[in-house]
Amino acid sequence: MDNSISQLKHLFAGAVDAVKPGAMFERYLRDESVLRQLQNADKNYHLVGFGKAVLGMAVQMERILGDRLTSGCISIPVGTLERFRGEQDFQLSRASKIQVLECAANNLPDEAAVEAAQRIQSVAASMTANDVLCVLVSGGGSALLPLPKSPINLTEKLTIIKQLASAGASIDELNVVRIQLSDVKGGKLASSASKSNKVLSFIISDIIGDPLELIASGPTVQSDFSNEDALNILKKYSLVDKLPKSVEDVLTRREPDQRVDVQGEIHLIGTNKLAIESVTSKATESDLLAIPMSTRVQGNVAELSQAYFELASAIVKFRQQTLTESEFIEQISENFKTLNFDHSKIPSFIEALVKNPDRDILLVSGGEPTVIVKGTGLGGRNQELALRFSVQCFQQELLKGVLLLSAGTDGIDGPTDAAGAIGGAEVVERFQMLDCGQSMEEFISNNDSYSFYQEVDKGRFHVVTGHTGTNVMDIQMLLIPKIIL
């Protein structure tokens, strides 16, 4: 079991390395047509950025632009500079022209982030026909670029977003509301740079399906969303009657079309798919039957944990030949739907299982689940997913040895210092050796998965990386060892 836990953590670490800014820029800039856009000697280049991966991105861009870089300003999470002190790929030059502003402690917008957003908007607005604006965008950018529309203040905006998140709103829904309440999101930052020669955006995606208009709420991508869209989302979660007057005024007033056509290009340099490919490749080298399943896992962790549990049970039974192929297909079809796996791949999935009866199975998925917060505990979606999966596995002897790693590539799962956790029956067995005065169900109902994993076996099942300097959503790895078959 220790070897399996170490192997899963090693594969996760490798996936994170594959999607760090240095690795992604190196791959992407092999395209000479992109590189040429950054080599115009007749133009002045300026750089702005916001997001968890932006420090590393800015370092790469500074090296690429050299003396052509005239000015810059980036907004990054508090503690980033200290976290990566001494790491070459996260060190700007000593004479760097890039101003670094650390904001948004615990991934929550604050007044320092508002000031950073104002500074970034000012840089964009100062562009002329002789200037090229490079915009670096990654996950976490929404919190690091908050500029509420007047008369909304930051506290009011934060309250609404928190209420939506606690009610289980998806990241897409959150971003639609953010865009309609913002003066820089939804393409408005690019509009501020309308007098520039060109706006070049380099984006690392942290959203399912990689919708450019929603990543960090799309500050350089013109939005087609309306106030009505935002209101419908607020109605869906019964929050319309709780709106402050300032927000109600903004969302109900008619505004003229402010769309401004801005010359530029958008480059998507990193996605969850790259992380999945890294895991699959390295796992295959270790003779695991590694199968990439999806980059679109989303939904409530309560439903997802149940689907992973049922899928693992069906696979074990099928390999033990206690399920016929038709019974197996019937059982996993609903699981594929819940987990957003491609149903059309079921035949090839079965073929892989049949042809490799003696290999450990590793199903690799990515995405971003949600959790409905009802308790007052400390945790995150990945830790709660793993915890719920553990409880379900413990109830079925058949799944002893099955493990599920769920962790965020940014290294931050909720307001904790853990990236995620590993779930399985052994987690429950270890918990039962403790005398902590709480049941597992109490930890779950209080959304206290972080405290739970801290208690169990000295944190052995926790996945802790610290802030990784990147963000391409979460990864789940379902390991089904042949030893239990």
Side-chain angles (χ1 to χ4, degrees):
M1 180 66 74
D2 283 344
N3 287 341
S4 295
I5 291 171
S6 297
Q7 185 176 35
L8 289 175
K9 289 183 177 181
H10 178 72
L11 288 169
F12 177 72
V16 170
D17 286 342
V19 292
K20 285 188 174 178
M24 289 191 283
F25 264 107
E26 180 184 351
R27 277 192 299 266
Y28 196 80
L29 292 181
R30 290 171 188 166
D31 183 341
E32 292 189 4
S33 67
V34 178
L35 193 57
R36 282 196 295 272
Q37 295 176 13
L38 301 171
Q39 294 176 329
N40 191 334
D42 297 329
K43 301 300 178 186
N44 297 318
Y45 286 81
H46 305 261
L47 183 150
V48 296
F50 29 89
K52 295 175 182 177
V54 159
L55 177 59
M57 296 171 77
V59 168
Q60 299 302 315
M61 190 64 74
E62 182 184 57
R63 293 172 183 172
I64 294 163
L65 292 173
D67 292 340
R68 294 185 297 279
L69 180 60
T70 302
S71 72
C73 179
I74 60 174
S75 175
I76 60 176
V78 169
T80 302
L81 292 174
E82 180 60 31
R83 164 68 179 85
F84 295 106
R85 190 176 302 280
E87 292 193 32
Q88 184 178 357
D89 282 346
F90 292 90
Q91 304 302 310
L92 292 166
S93 68
R94 290 187 178 181
S96 180
K97 297 173 183 175
I98 300 172
Q99 180 183 13
V100 179
L101 302 173
E102 290 195 317
C103 327
N106 296 319
N107 202 32
L108 295 173
D110 52 22
E111 291 301 331
V114 173
E115 292 176 12
Q118 291 170 336
R119 169 65 182 146
I120 287 170
Q121 186 186 51
S122 176
V123 172
S126 71
M127 295 296 97
T128 71
N130 202 43
D131 297 313
V132 176
L133 181 65
C134 297
V135 184
L136 310 180
V137 185
S138 77
S142 287
L144 291 157
L145 194 77
L147 197 58
K149 287 181 178 178
S150 180
I152 303 170
N153 63 44
L154 182 61
T155 300
E156 291 170 332
K157 183 178 178 182
L158 284 180
T159 299
I160 292 167
I161 297 303
K162 183 177 181 180
Q163 289 173 335
L164 278 170
S166 296
S170 70
I171 191 169
D172 291 17
E173 291 172 323
L174 293 175
N175 277 329
V176 170
V177 176
R178 286 186 182 121
I179 286 169
Q180 294 309 117
L181 300 182
S182 173
D183 258 343
V184 286
K185 292 163 183 171
K188 301 182 193 78
L189 179 63
S191 295
S192 296
S194 60
K195 295 180 180 180
S196 66
N197 174 267
K198 186 177 290 186
V199 175
L200 300 176
S201 301
F202 295 88
I203 299 175
I204 296 175
S205 172
D206 70 327
I207 299 184
I208 288 170
D210 309 321
L212 298 177
E213 71 277 10
L214 293 180
I215 301 166
S217 304
T220 62
V221 183
Q222 294 288 350
S223 169
D224 290 323
F225 299 119
S226 66
N227 285 345
E228 184 178 358
D229 294 325
L231 284 169
N232 285 337
I233 291 168
L234 292 163
K235 288 176 184 176
K236 175 181 175 180
Y237 295 101
S238 303
L239 293 173
V240 169
D241 294 337
K242 301 177 182 179
L243 295 180
K245 186 176 186 304
S246 60
V247 175
E248 184 179 347
D249 288 346
V250 166
L251 293 182
T252 55
R253 71 188 180 198
R254 291 182 61 118
E255 291 186 294
D257 185 4
Q258 297 178 339
R259 182 181 293 270
V260 177
D261 290 329
V262 180
Q263 181 71 19
E265 290 195 32
I266 294 174
H267 302 286
L268 181 62
I269 70 169
T271 66
N272 185 261
K273 183 181 178 182
L274 294 174
I276 299 295
E277 289 173 349
S278 169
V279 172
T280 304
S281 175
K282 291 185 177 180
T284 300
E285 291 173 5
S286 299
D287 200 36
L288 291 170
L289 176 57
I291 306 175
M293 301 301 295
S294 175
T295 60
R296 306 179 70 89
V297 176
Q298 59 185 318
N300 191 296
V301 294
E303 298 171 1
L304 297 179
S305 64
Q306 181 68 30
Y308 273 121
F309 162 72
E310 292 176 358
L311 178 60
S313 300
I315 290 172
V316 172
K317 291 175 183 177
F318 180 61
R319 294 186 91 183
Q320 289 182 336
Q321 299 182 353
T322 59
L323 280 182
T324 65
E325 182 172 318
S326 60
E327 290 171 334
F328 180 57
I329 292 173
E330 182 179 355
Q331 288 200 17
I332 68 172
S333 291
E334 191 62 31
N335 305 141
F336 267 55
K337 181 179 179 181
T338 300
L339 295 166
N340 253 334
F341 293 174
D342 186 349
H343 194 275
S344 69
K345 293 183 178 179
I346 287 181
S348 61
F349 178 67
I350 292 174
E351 183 180 7
L353 298 182
V354 171
K355 287 184 176 180
N356 298 276
D358 298 321
R359 294 171 70 186
D360 293 349
I361 301 166
L362 187 73
L363 305 186
V364 190
S365 310
E368 191 152 286
T370 56
V371 58
I372 296 177
V373 179
K374 295 182 178 179
T376 59
L378 190 62
R381 59 183 179 267
N382 289 293
Q383 294 164 90
E384 185 161 326
L385 175 56
L387 175 53
R388 287 176 176 273
F389 181 79
S390 300
V391 174
Q392 290 153 335
C393 284
F394 181 72
Q395 295 168 354
Q396 187 169 130
E397 180 67 23
L398 193 66
L399 296 186
K400 189 170 183 177
V402 170
L403 296 173
L404 175 70
L405 179 147
S406 186
T409 55
D410 61 356
I412 304 167
D413 185 38
T416 77
D417 61 2
I422 294 172
E426 188 187 352
V427 175
V428 182
E429 293 170 3
R430 295 288 180 172
F431 172 76
Q432 291 180 334
M433 297 178 186
L434 302 174
D435 183 18
C436 66
Q438 289 189 73
S439 68
M440 295 191 68
E441 289 71 21
E442 286 174 315
F443 278 103
I444 291 173
S445 63
N446 196 33
N447 299 112
D448 202 17
S449 53
Y450 177 82
S451 301
F452 172 87
Y453 274 103
Q454 285 286 89
E455 293 274 354
V456 176
D457 214 0
K458 299 179 180 179
R460 183 164 68 103
F461 298 97
H462 244 154
V463 179
V464 181
T465 62
H467 176 29
T468 62
T470 191
N471 186 15
V472 293
M473 299 189 292
D474 303 336
I475 290 180
Q476 283 109 40
M477 291 180 252
L478 180 63
L479 177 66
I480 305 175
K482 61 179 179 292
I483 194 171
I484 70 169
L485 302 177

